[in-house]
Every structure is written in structure tokens, then in C-alpha cells.
Amino acid sequence: MLEIKNLHVKLEEEDKQILKGVDLTVEAGKVHAIMGPNGSGKSTLSYVLSGREGYEVTDGEATLLGEDILDMDPEERAAAGLFLAFQYPVEIPGVGNMTFLRTAVNAQRKARGEEEMSSTEFLKVIRERAKELKIDADMLKRPVNVGFSGGEKKRNEILQMAMLEPKMCILDETDSGLDVDAMKLVADGVNALRSEGRGFLVITHYQRLLDHIVPDVVHIMSDGRIVKTGGPELALEVEKNGYTDIVEEVA
Amino acid sequence: MALPQAKQTETEARLAMLDLPAGGWTEAARRDALARVQAMGLPGRRDEYWKFTNPATLTQAEAPRAAVFDTQETQIFEAIDRLKIVFVDGVFDAEASDDLSLEGISIERLAESKADIHWAKDLYGTLETNGQTPVQRPLAALNTAFATDGILLHVTGTPSKPINLMYYHEDESSDAILHHVIKVDPGAEVTILENGPAAARFNEVMEVDVADTARFHHVRAQGRDHERRAATHIFARLGTESAFKSFTLTANGVMTRNECIIELTGDDAIAHVAGACVGDGDFHHDDTVFITHDAVNCESRQVFKKVLRNGATGVFQGKILVKAGAQKTDGYQISQSLLLDGDSQFLAKPELEIYADDVACSHGSTSGAIDEEALFYLRSRGVPHSDATNLLTLAFLAEAVEEIEDETLSAQVVEKISAWLLRRSA
């Protein structure tokens, strides 16, 4: 599904290397988690994959279903099936949540040469999915993320994911700022979307999210590299001993 | 005091092109207005009130040519049941207009109203004259003196549909001067729609007297002809518990100066003035607003949004004057521009002048570019760059468009803005 080889990335503005050779393959149907201390490059990896400006790939490659995504515009990556759930979802005053979602769904369909979703069908689908995430009609009408609580914003991200039905989902610190109940709701939403044809890359600082979204593979990232890979037990090890031991062990 | 020589020469050159209509109930007002124009002189670049907008093409003797912009698209208010009054290059077109009778309103043409006595006599030129202090508006006085036609509306009830003044432009060098007088009786309510470029150069004055508890709504879409020029003035006087709401959409036009002068003279009155403009390239758009609070517990709102690209210029001069005794005034003013590139500019001069001590007045003015974070967020969801920009641009203008009370009308405005944006991102 997603293949990253020897990815080197530096900040455009300053001459600072953030990713120093990341190798990672996420297979369809699998959930991979990336854990790591602050500043290890986890979020940078998600931004580079989704096409945010300000980063320069100096070496390596990233492909989605065999297609090189690094030269694509963000909207092309989205249409190709990539989705990033933001750590800090952006507020967009003046643009209704529903309008935004319908525009996005149909833009992707158009880009893929598929038929656009009619407004009746769209309404039916969004109501169903919103209900599962406990998102009420008012939240759908309001401007995108404006006045939403932290939990509402994250649920809204998962709703977008559910509507856009991406092939590869990257969740960037989706647990940050959530209480236990909200985290459970979000995790349920994600688990409902787990399927054979879909890959997940869950980026998190803490193990607790992985109690709810149980990963198949766990990677530890440090100083711009994946330094250790294992099963779900690796996350428990981090929880118990912290990152220092693991990072020192491989160094 | 004598006028500076250059100003006097320019004023005389312009006046020499015009004929003062004689006779009838307007004659005294026209003579008075002419004398005032001669005393004031037409605006010049050095006048403080024209600091940001060069009035030369609005005052020069002959109208600069303006190519007729031929579009096959439907008119903005086409889908709305309304009474149409059509002017082509400032000349009334009876055939294209509807029958001028409608319950709750009397409609007459200025050019045909020749009697010596008329209800509009107390208003014609009166509100305009009042609006000349503390700031002179010579183009409005010129209009009062030389207007060739216009509409006299006396609203006595609540007409079943809006009155739509439609202004066509067919002659490349037309120079139209229209003067409307609208009197809304106590308890009456009317909606006036205006659309179209009107002429190569258009000088318009609208005097609106809104009586106690009366309501006046105004939605205007100025024509899209790229080379057209317009200087418009609205003078409104508001009685107790009355409401005045005006919105203007401007897309294109090489030169536009819209002045709105409102006097709140009765307690508990409401005045809302809003504008959305989108300019691309050779575009200069000036909103100049002067709101005087002269009664207790009145509310005024000014909401102006401008989207500028390819070197377009936007100007906003807005003033709230709160007179002594106008307590409990609630005055709000916001002017914002979205600059889509580094070549465009927005010049703003917000002013508050307050002589009462128990008031709440606020003003704000900003200039900014498209929010890059929001743009990336939209794109990361699959919305193409140009569509995302358009969505954010529409969102920026929404606050002004939402000032239109009638949702059918605001939807028409949004549709026109969307179409404009879409044409530019194709």
C-alpha cells in the first residue's frame, strides 16, 4: 500500500535535516503505529506524505499503490487515496462543514473520473456516518471546525475519513487533547473503517490510543529514523520503560 | 472664497456640457444646486475627501469611452418576481419596463413630472443639501441640478414585489445622470433592486426618506462592464424605529465611487450598509460612508469586504458621527480586504467622532492574503487549489453578503460572485 524508502527530508527555510532515511512499508489491511519521543520526526513524516509546503525531500521515495506521491499536489494525493487526520484541524470561518465535505467528496470523485455523488445520496450517507460518531446536525451546518471542542474536531476528522473512504489513512496524534471517552469514540470510528483494502499509519506519542486501535506493527522513531520495529508488545514496553532505553539500546 | 483657477476651469468645462432643465417643481432646487456646484467646484485630486480616489474621469467634461460588455448571461434578479423599470444609457425604456402601477406604491418618472406642486418637492435636493455638511459632495449637487430623469417613489403600503431599476449600457460614450427620490410612509416597507452598468459614465443620486416605523431594503449589483465609471450617492434620513438596509455588489468597473450618507434622526432606528466587491486588474473601487447618529438608541452597521487581484485598488472611507445627546448609540464598522497578490492594494480610513458619553462604537480594518493553513487543509481533502481559493474567497465575502435579509436575494448575489470567481480560475 504505502512504501517509503530511505526518505530524507529537510526544512526548506533552515538547513535542518529532519528525516534521515526512513524505511517503512504499510500493507493493505494492516495498522502500523509510529511512536517516538518529541522531535523525532513523526509529524514531519505525515506532513511530507500529505504534501504540505515547507519541506524538501533530499533523498528517497514514497509510493502509494506503486505511484510516486512526492511529486503530486496535495489534492492529487488525496484523490489517489491518501488521507491525513490532522493533529490540529484547521478552522475555516464562512465555509459550512457540509458544503466542505460535499465539495471534497465530489472533487475526489471527479479527479478519479467517477460520477459525482448526488446531494440526496450525500445527505443520506453523511447522516448515517455522523450519527455513528455522535456528530449532530448542528455540527454539520456550522463552519468547518469553528467553535468545535478538541474532541469535536477530532471526530470531525474521522467523519471526513469515513466520507472520503481513503485507501491509506495517516492519523497524526489523533489522541492529543482527548479525554478517555472522546478517545474511545474516535477509536471506534477508526476501527469501523478498518478493512482488508485499507492501510493505517497511526502516529502517537502515548501508548494509550493503541489500547483502542490495536496495531499489527509498531515502529519506534528517533532522530529521523525508524530504530526499532515489533508487534503490539513494543508499545507496552515503551509505556513501561519510556523511550530512552530503546533509543539507547539501538544506538 | 474664490476657487483655485484650475478647479474653476474644470468645473466650467463640465458645466458647459450640460443643460439645466427648466420649469416645474424641481426648478428652484436645480438652480440652487447649480449655484452650489459653482461655489464648491467639482472634486479635485487635492481634496482631502478624494485622497485615495482620483476624481478626474468622473468630473471631466466628456465621459471617457467604455466598451459595451456583451454577455449572454441572465440578469441577477431574473428569477425574482419584480416590477422592472428600465433605463438604457440613462434613457427610460417604456417598452422594456413593466406597467408602473402597483398597490402600495406610486411610481412616477422625474422627467415626466412637470406640475408645480409635488410631494417630492420637499425632498428633491433637500437630503442631498443636508448631506453636503460637514463634507462637500459636489458630484451629488451636480446631479440634482442636471439629472435628466429618475424615479419618484412614494411608498404608502407594502408592495407585493420589489422594484427593480435596471440600467443597460449600449452606447460607448453615454453619460447618464439619474436622480431618484423615495419616500417611505410610516409603517410602509419596500425593497429596491438595482442592477447594470447604466452608461459609460453614471452619476446617480438616490434620496431616501424613511418615516417612523418604515422599512427600506436595497440590493444593488453594479454592472460588469470593465470600462464603466460610476459615482453614486445615497442620502437617507431615518425616522423613529425605522430601518434602512443597503447592500452593493460590485464586480468589475474601472472606476466606482459609492457614497452613502445616512442620518438617524429618530430614536431606535437601524441603518445597515454593506458591500462586497471583487476586482481584477484595472479596477478602482471606493466605498465612502458617513453615518450621523442624532437620536437615542440607534444602531448602525457598516460591513465592507473587498477581494482584489492583479493590481486592483480598493478604498474605504467610513465615518460614524455621534452627536451630543445621541446616547445608547451602537455603531459597528468593519472593512476588510483579501489581497490575492502583491500588486493589489486596499486603502482604508475608518473614523469615529463621538460627542455622547454612553455609546458603544467599534471599527476595524484588515488586509490579508488567503489563509495558507486553510488552503492546505482543503487541498489535503482533495479540493483543487483554484476551487479551494474560491471557496475561501466566498467565505471571506460571506459576512457582507449575509447582511442581506432576504435569503433568495442573497443566494442570487452568491451565485453571481461564484460565477465571477469561476471564470477567473478556469
Side-chain angles (χ1 to χ4, degrees):
Chain A
M1 176 66 63
L2 177 69
E3 252 186 283
I4 303 168
K5 283 184 195 154
N6 192 33
L7 189 63
H8 285 69
V9 172
K10 74 179 193 60
L11 291 181
E12 258 172 20
E13 299 261 308
E14 40 191 306
D15 197 24
K16 192 179 171 194
Q17 201 74 30
I18 308 287
L19 299 184
K20 302 171 180 173
V22 175
D23 289 288
L24 180 69
T25 301
V26 180
E27 308 82 6
K30 300 289 183 197
V31 174
H32 284 233
I34 296 187
M35 301 182 71
N38 289 327
S40 58
K42 304 188 299 289
S43 286
T44 296
L45 179 63
S46 73
Y47 291 150
V48 170
L49 292 175
S50 61
R52 183 189 279 265
E53 282 178 19
Y55 301 95
E56 190 188 331
V57 176
T58 52
D59 201 3
E61 59 173 52
T63 57
L64 181 67
L65 293 164
E67 265 191 284
D68 176 14
I69 55 169
L70 295 178
D71 279 337
M72 293 182 184
D73 282 334
E75 56 267 37
E76 292 171 334
R77 300 179 195 207
L82 189 77
F83 181 91
L84 169 67
F86 282 53
Q87 183 178 2
Y88 304 107
V90 182
E91 299 188 5
I92 312 181
V95 178
N97 212 9
M98 196 99 94
T99 310
F100 160 59
L101 264 168
R102 207 169 82 210
T103 308
V105 167
N106 283 334
Q108 290 201 13
R109 290 186 164 219
K110 200 171 151 195
R112 290 194 292 259
E114 297 165 12
E115 203 177 318
E116 293 190 11
M117 215 182 204
S118 73
S119 43
T120 342
E121 192 190 346
F122 177 82
L123 265 177
K124 192 173 148 258
V125 177
I126 198 169
R127 280 199 186 123
E128 259 168 42
R129 312 237 155 118
K131 203 175 155 195
E132 285 160 13
L133 288 158
K134 297 207 165 71
I135 289 174
D136 59 22
D138 181 54
M139 256 177 81
L140 290 177
K141 267 190 224 149
R142 267 153 53 190
V144 181
N145 293 325
V146 176
F148 286 24
S149 70
E152 286 174 333
K153 282 181 183 169
K154 295 297 169 76
R155 262 146 62 202
N156 201 31
E157 293 291 290
I158 306 305
L159 175 66
Q160 292 169 35
M161 198 159 89
M163 292 303 296
L164 294 167
E165 299 177 331
K167 297 192 177 85
M168 180 67 218
C169 309
I170 304 171
L171 279 67
D172 186 14
E173 309 242 359
T174 293
D175 51 336
S176 71
L178 294 188
D179 59 30
V180 181
D181 290 340
M183 188 161 65
K184 202 166 171 309
L185 202 56
V186 164
D188 288 348
V190 172
N191 288 330
L193 291 170
R194 287 175 78 154
S195 73
E196 291 207 350
R198 187 170 287 147
F200 283 86
L201 187 59
V202 179
I203 295 170
T204 182
H205 189 69
Y206 300 104
Q207 185 266 338
R208 57 172 198 168
L209 178 67
L210 304 179
D211 283 344
H212 301 285
I213 306 174
V214 181
D216 299 296
V217 183
V218 175
H219 308 275
I220 306 295
M221 194 169 198
S222 172
D223 193 29
R225 286 187 193 90
I226 305 278
V227 295
K228 193 167 184 181
T229 296
E233 72 286 348
L234 190 54
L236 296 170
E237 196 187 321
V238 167
E239 181 72 1
K240 208 169 129 200
N241 302 328
Y243 289 110
T244 324
D245 286 2
I246 298 169
V247 172
E248 277 174 5
E249 176 194 320
V250 293
Chain B
M1 201 178 79
L3 292 174
Q5 190 55 49
K7 193 170 221 180
Q8 177 143 9
T9 310
E10 277 163 23
T11 303
E12 280 170 5
R14 174 68 180 129
L15 295 178
M17 300 296 296
L18 298 162
D19 295 314
L20 194 72
W25 58 271
T26 60
E27 185 168 307
R30 289 178 186 275
R31 285 182 186 283
D32 176 72
L34 174 58
R36 287 186 287 117
V37 176
Q38 284 164 333
M40 288 187 273
L42 289 172
R45 191 72 219 251
R46 290 186 180 175
D47 296 344
E48 181 63 24
Y49 215 47
W50 291 84
K51 193 173 169 181
F52 302 131
T53 297
N54 187 347
T57 56
L58 297 172
T59 59
Q60 72 186 50
E62 285 183 73
R65 293 174 78 83
V68 175
F69 189 49
D70 191 17
T71 71
Q72 299 302 313
E73 68 182 84
T74 52
Q75 301 270 343
I76 180 167
F77 303 121
E78 207 64 50
I80 289 161
D81 181 27
R82 72 252 199 249
L83 189 143
K84 297 191 293 263
I85 302 175
V86 177
F87 290 93
V88 180
D89 294 303
V91 179
F92 178 69
D93 184 338
E95 214 154 282
S97 300
D98 288 331
D99 180 58
L100 299 186
S101 56
L102 183 66
E103 190 158 328
I105 190 167
S106 91
I107 306 171
E108 277 174 85
R109 282 178 49 216
L110 176 65
E112 290 205 322
S113 173
K114 292 290 182 198
D116 287 332
I117 300 170
H118 197 276
W119 62 263
K121 193 177 177 182
D122 292 339
L123 293 173
Y124 187 91
T126 305
L127 299 188
E128 175 262 298
T129 305
N130 290 347
Q132 296 285 351
T133 42
V135 190
Q136 294 184 343
R137 307 173 199 279
L139 285 167
L142 178 96
N143 179 300
T144 298
F146 296 102
T148 54
D149 208 345
I151 291 294
L152 310 171
L153 287 180
H154 186 186
V155 188
T156 51
T158 302
S160 59
K161 51 187 172 184
I163 309 302
N164 188 183
L165 303 173
M166 301 171 73
Y167 306 121
Y168 290 92
H169 170 216
E170 290 178 1
D171 174 352
E172 283 193 358
S173 53
S174 57
D175 194 11
I177 305 181
L178 296 179
H179 192 119
H180 310 298
V181 178
I182 301 166
K183 180 179 159 78
V184 193
D185 280 356
E189 179 165 7
V190 71
T191 298
I192 306 294
L193 308 174
E194 291 185 283
N195 69 285
R201 181 167 70 180
F202 186 34
N203 180 329
E204 182 197 9
V205 165
M206 184 183 276
E207 291 177 289
V208 188
D209 186 37
V210 190
D212 296 354
T213 70
R215 297 177 72 84
F216 174 82
H217 307 272
H218 176 231
V219 179
R220 164 168 68 173
Q222 293 176 304
R224 290 215 341 267
D225 294 30
H226 292 282
E227 293 169 340
R228 64 131 189 90
R229 293 160 200 279
T232 76
H233 292 80
I234 297 172
F235 296 93
R237 181 169 67 193
L238 276 66
T240 304
E241 288 177 37
S242 67
F244 169 98
K245 296 188 177 183
S246 172
F247 172 88
T248 301
L249 167 68
T250 311
N252 305 347
V254 66
M255 168 61 65
T256 306
R257 164 96 160 195
N258 292 330
E259 295 193 27
C260 191
I261 302 95
I262 301 172
E263 220 186 340
L264 296 128
T265 62
D267 297 347
D268 304 301
I270 293 171
H272 291 184
V273 196
C277 88
V278 285
D280 185 355
D282 205 358
F283 173 90
H284 184 104
H285 187 275
D286 177 333
D287 279 301
T288 291
V289 181
F290 198 113
I291 297 183
T292 305
H293 283 260
D294 197 10
V296 176
N297 202 32
C298 290
E299 176 197 311
S300 71
R301 276 174 73 83
Q302 301 170 48
V303 181
F304 288 90
K305 300 266 189 165
K306 296 172 196 275
V307 174
L308 306 165
R309 51 183 272 174
N310 290 327
T313 299
V315 174
F316 174 76
Q317 302 189 100
K319 180 160 181 170
I320 305 172
L321 169 63
V322 181
K323 290 199 173 175
Q327 302 294 9
K328 307 286 182 195
T329 286
D330 178 3
Y332 174 78
Q333 180 195 89
I334 183 97
S335 62
Q336 294 180 309
S337 74
L338 178 62
L339 305 176
L340 294 179
D341 53 50
D343 302 331
S344 303
Q345 61 171 345
F346 177 54
L347 306 158
K349 189 179 169 197
E351 283 181 282
L352 294 177
E353 193 177 331
I354 302 172
Y355 296 100
D357 56 10
D358 183 15
V359 302
C361 284
S362 64
H363 65 74
S365 185
T366 63
S367 261
I370 282 275
D371 180 352
E372 289 294 334
E373 286 290 311
L375 189 64
F376 174 65
Y377 191 64
L378 290 168
R379 294 178 71 193
S380 79
R381 298 303 181 244
V383 183
H385 192 289
S386 60
D387 294 359
T389 305
N390 289 351
L391 208 55
L392 294 173
T393 305
L394 260 184
F396 167 79
L397 294 171
E399 195 193 343
V401 178
E402 279 161 12
E403 291 291 308
I404 303 172
E405 241 180 56
D406 184 310
E407 283 178 14
T408 317
L409 291 175
S410 64
Q412 310 280 321
V413 168
V414 167
E415 204 174 288
K416 285 292 168 193
I417 298 173
S418 304
W420 189 92
L421 293 171
L422 209 59
R423 281 192 297 272
R424 266 149 192 85
S425 57

